[in-house]
Amino acid sequence: MNDGVSIDRARAGDVAAIVAMLADDALGARRESPGDPKPYMAAFEDIDADPRQYLAVARRDGRVVGTLQLTFVPGLSHRGSTRAQVEAVRVDSDERGGGLGIDLLLWAEEEARRRGAAILQLTSDASREDAHRFYERLGYTASHVGFKKRIG
């Protein structure tokens, strides 16, 4: 773990920093609206109330410098195994390249294992080739083709 960094559950006061990180890249800049906190706070309340959700933040000296969302999905396949789904991995632009992303994903793996998940999975936008290489270095395999359909 990076010196001086802790990972814990996000609080309502962390939402603005999380949204700023979500908006801080080419894809996020097109789809996020950091100036309108209302939908993000509503989403945070839903996430925070759901025991199968863990919105994690990495903090350095009290400042939010990374985030990811971990969702636990029970299922019948794989002999009734629970999957842990990683979403929205982001690292503050000032912290990129220093190993914080690795720390976040290793934390997610340990938390998923601790909660009984048998599979840790994630998706990544097809255009994020650097991210794909990063995930592969951490042992993830591109074993499936994902599909999405906007319905709202």
Side-chain angles (χ1 to χ4, degrees), residues 115-137:
R115 290 183 54 171
I119 298 169
L120 183 60
Q121 60 191 29
L122 56 82
T123 61
S124 179
D125 190 279
S127 68
R128 295 184 186 273
E129 293 176 5
D130 289 342
H132 302 167
R133 286 189 291 276
F134 170 74
Y135 295 131
E136 288 169 349
R137 282 194 310 271

Side-chain angles (χ1 to χ4, degrees), residues 80-136:
S81 294
T82 295
R83 296 169 188 248
Q85 175 77 26
V86 178
E87 292 286 336
V89 178
R90 297 293 191 284
V91 172
D92 184 272
S93 58
D94 293 339
E95 296 275 340
R96 290 182 193 145
L100 183 56
I102 293 169
D103 290 343
L104 278 165
L105 286 164
L106 291 175
W107 174 89
E109 185 174 334
E110 182 58 34
E111 182 66 14
R113 207 179 269 116
R114 187 184 73 74
R115 290 183 54 171
I119 298 169
L120 183 60
Q121 60 191 29
L122 56 82
T123 61
S124 179
D125 190 279
S127 68
R128 295 184 186 273
E129 293 176 5
D130 289 342
H132 302 167
R133 286 189 291 276
F134 170 74
Y135 295 131
E136 288 169 349

Side-chain angles (χ1 to χ4, degrees), residues 34-111:
D36 181 11
K38 190 173 181 179
Y40 298 105
M41 289 308 298
F44 173 80
E45 290 170 7
D46 286 345
I47 293 165
D48 198 48
D50 184 340
R52 290 196 170 124
Q53 302 292 331
Y54 195 120
L55 182 58
V57 291
R59 300 177 199 281
R60 181 185 303 282
D61 300 323
R63 187 172 79 87
V64 174
V65 293
T67 187
L68 64 74
Q69 183 173 344
L70 192 57
T71 300
F72 295 89
V73 183
L76 295 178
S77 67
H78 295 267
R79 301 185 59 167
S81 294
T82 295
R83 296 169 188 248
Q85 175 77 26
V86 178
E87 292 286 336
V89 178
R90 297 293 191 284
V91 172
D92 184 272
S93 58
D94 293 339
E95 296 275 340
R96 290 182 193 145
L100 183 56
I102 293 169
D103 290 343
L104 278 165
L105 286 164
L106 291 175
W107 174 89
E109 185 174 334
E110 182 58 34
E111 182 66 14

Side-chain angles (χ1 to χ4, degrees), residues 19-37:
V19 173
M21 284 186 286
L22 293 173
D24 186 27
D25 66 29
L27 293 175
R30 293 193 314 251
R31 64 181 174 218
E32 303 302 340
S33 301
D36 181 11

